Amino acid sequence: MQTAYARMVYERQAREQRRGAAEGHRQTSTFKTILKDACRRLIAFLFTQVGVCGLVVAYNILGAFAFRVIEGEMGDPRPEETAKELREQMVHRLWNVTLRLNVLEETQWREEVVVALQEYQEFVVPLIKTKGYRGVYPKETWSFSAALMYSLSVYTTIGYGNLAPRTELGKITTILYAIVGMPLMLLYMSNVGEILANIFKFIYFRACRCDIGSLGYYRTASGTIRPVTVSQNGQSDESSPRRTIPITWCLLVIAIYVGIGGLIFAQWERWSVLDACYFSYISLSTIGFGDLVPGKTVEGENDDQEVESQQIICTVYLLVGSALVAMCFNLMQEETIENLKAFWRNLGCLRKKKTRKISVQDGHERTARYDGDG
C-alpha cells in the first residue's frame, strides 16, 4: 500500500516536471521567435532610405571616435619629439658658430651655417616623408572634427591625404573601415539619390504644368501610381512620350550646390571664391587632391568650438552633395538613354511602338503597347 502511494507521488512529480519543461521550452521558442522577428525588422529598416542615412551617419561618427582614440590618444609622438630635438641642436650649433667666428668672418660663418642647415634638412625631410611629421602632436591633430573628416574621406574615396594613420593598428583599421564603408556609401548614394530624383522630377514637372504621365506613370482609380504599360486615355505612346529632366537642369543644380559651398567656405576659410568653389567640386567629384582642406585644427592653428562645428557642417555638406551628384548622374543617364532611343528610332534602327485596343474586365477599352507589324 505504501509502495503504491509512493509510486503515485513519483509519477505526479514526473508529470509536473515534464509539464514545466514543456512550458519552459515554449517560452524559449517564443522568445527566439520574437528575437528573430525583431532582427528581421531591424535589418529591413536599415535597408530603407531612412535606415541607410542613419547607418551612414552612425558609421561616420563611429569611425571618428575610433580614429581619434587610435591615432590621437594612442598615436606615435616620436617624429615630433625627434624634430624638436634636432631643432634645439641646430639652434645651439648656430649660436656656437656665431660666437666662434663673430661677424668679422662673415664668409666662413655663412658657409658653416649653410652646411648646418643642409644637415638639418637631411634629417627633417625623411621625418616628413616616412614618419608623417606635421609639426603638431597627434593628440592635437586628431580632433573629433578632423577624425570625422578623415572617416568621410576614407569611405567616400575622396582621400585628401592631409591626415594619414601612423600606427599599425590605425592602418589596419583604415583598411577594414574602407572595405565596409565603400559598399555602404554606394547603397546610400543609390537610395538617397533615388529619393532626391523623384522629388526633383515632381517639382520640375509640376512647375512645367505637366501631367503625371510625363513621368512615365499613371494614376489608377484607387489613387495608386503604376508604370505606363497600358495607356489610360486611349492614346498611343507616340502622342505622349515619356519626358525626362534636361541635362542642363542637372548641371545647373550641381553648379548651384557647388556655388553655395564655395561662398560658405570662402567666408569660413578666408579663401578666394574660386578656390572655395574649386574645393567644393574636387570634393564632390571624389577627386580630393588635398591641396585645400577646411579646418585650421588640421594644421594645429586653432582648436576652438567654432572650427569644430564648421568641419562637422562640411561633413554634412559633402554627404548631402554626394547624394545630389548621384541624383544628377541618374537623371542625366535617363535623358541620354531617351535621346539615343529617339535618335536610333528616327534612323529606323528601332521599331516604333504600336498600339491596339484591348478590353478589360471593367468594360473600358485601353490601349496596350506592343512591338511588331501585326
Side-chain angles (χ1 to χ4, degrees):
M1 188 76 179
Q2 190 174 7
T3 304
Y5 178 75
R7 188 181 299 109
M8 291 173 59
V9 172
Y10 176 76
E11 291 178 353
R12 183 183 302 170
Q13 291 178 352
R15 286 196 301 269
E16 291 178 355
Q17 290 178 356
R18 287 195 296 270
R19 188 182 301 111
E23 292 179 355
H25 179 70
R26 190 180 302 109
Q27 292 178 356
T28 304
S29 301
T30 305
F31 177 74
K32 288 182 179 180
T33 303
I34 294 174
L35 184 60
K36 288 181 179 179
D37 292 339
C39 293
R40 191 180 298 111
R41 291 179 181 179
L42 178 61
I43 294 174
F45 171 75
L46 291 178
F47 282 93
T48 61
Q49 286 82 359
V50 178
V52 169
C53 292
L55 193 61
V56 168
V57 172
Y59 191 73
N60 199 350
I61 295 175
L62 177 64
F65 280 111
F67 288 115
R68 178 175 171 79
V69 172
I70 294 174
E71 293 296 328
E73 303 294 336
M74 303 167 54
D76 184 12
R78 288 179 295 178
E80 282 74 22
E81 294 176 354
T82 302
K84 183 178 179 181
E85 293 177 359
L86 290 173
R87 185 168 58 250
E88 292 177 353
Q89 293 175 3
M90 182 56 55
V91 170
H92 287 294
R93 182 176 176 180
L94 294 177
W95 177 249
N96 292 331
V97 170
T98 304
L99 289 179
R100 180 165 51 86
L101 298 177
N102 209 340
V103 295
L104 299 178
E105 301 178 5
E106 182 178 355
T107 303
Q108 189 175 358
W109 180 87
R110 287 179 178 275
E111 291 177 357
E112 294 194 16
V113 167
V114 168
V115 172
L117 292 177
Q118 288 177 349
E119 293 178 359
Y120 176 75
Q121 183 178 356
E122 291 176 357
F123 283 108
V124 172
V125 170
L127 287 178
I128 298 174
K129 290 184 175 181
T130 60
K131 303 296 182 180
Y133 170 70
R134 305 183 191 92
V136 183
Y137 284 92
K139 192 173 183 180
E140 300 174 2
T141 302
W142 289 86
S143 62
F144 174 77
S145 59
L148 195 70
M149 284 290 295
Y150 173 77
S151 302
L152 178 72
S153 67
V154 170
Y155 67 81
T156 57
T157 67
I158 296 176
Y160 290 119
N162 61 305
L163 279 179
R166 289 182 182 174
T167 62
E168 294 182 356
L169 180 60
K171 295 175 181 178
I172 296 174
T173 305
T174 300
I175 295 174
L176 298 178
Y177 190 78
I179 290 175
V180 178
M182 286 190 289
L184 182 62
M185 185 62 186
L186 293 176
L187 183 63
Y188 162 80
M189 293 174 66
S190 175
N191 288 356
V192 181
E194 182 179 359
I195 294 177
L196 295 178
N198 292 333
I199 294 174
F200 187 60
K201 284 181 180 180
F202 177 78
I203 296 174
Y204 177 80
F205 288 113
R206 285 296 294 269
C208 293
R209 297 181 180 179
C210 302
D211 58 352
I212 197 167
S214 303
L215 292 172
Y217 300 90
Y218 71 92
R219 189 183 300 276
T220 62
S222 61
T224 58
I225 306 300
R226 297 181 182 276
V228 181
T229 56
V230 177
S231 176
Q232 295 291 309
N233 51 17
Q235 297 178 356
S236 66
D237 218 40
E238 302 296 326
S239 60
S240 62
R242 177 171 178 170
R243 298 184 183 179
T244 54
I245 306 295
I247 295 178
T248 53
W249 280 92
C250 299
L251 296 177
L252 181 62
V253 170
I254 295 177
I256 291 174
Y257 195 78
V258 169
I260 293 174
L263 294 177
I264 294 174
F265 293 125
Q267 180 67 26
W268 284 351
E269 302 295 331
R270 300 296 185 268
W271 294 338
S272 65
V273 177
L274 177 60
D275 287 343
C277 292
Y278 162 80
F279 163 77
S280 299
Y281 181 77
I282 291 299
S283 299
L284 293 176
S285 59
T286 68
I287 297 175
F289 289 123
D291 50 347
L292 293 175
V293 179
K296 296 180 180 179
T297 52
V298 178
E299 303 172 2
E301 298 179 6
N302 199 344
D303 197 18
D304 56 8
Q305 190 66 27
E306 182 180 0
V307 175
E308 292 278 335
S309 60
Q310 288 175 1
Q311 284 195 315
I312 294 174
I313 294 173
C314 177
T315 303
V316 176
Y317 171 82
L318 294 178
L319 274 178
V320 176
S322 299
L324 193 68
V325 170
M327 175 203 78
C328 292
F329 285 166
N330 187 17
L331 295 177
M332 287 190 289
Q333 181 181 7
E334 291 181 0
E335 171 73 5
T336 304
I337 292 175
E338 291 298 324
N339 291 338
L340 288 176
K341 285 183 178 179
F343 174 75
W344 289 111
R345 192 176 293 117
N346 292 333
L347 291 180
C349 298
L350 291 178
R351 289 180 295 181
K352 293 185 177 181
K353 302 290 184 180
K354 295 187 177 181
T355 60
R356 63 182 176 186
K357 291 186 178 181
I358 58 175
S359 60
V360 291
Q361 294 180 356
D362 56 6
H364 297 285
E365 288 185 343
R366 296 182 181 178
T367 305
R369 297 183 307 179
Y370 70 98
D371 292 329
D373 299 328

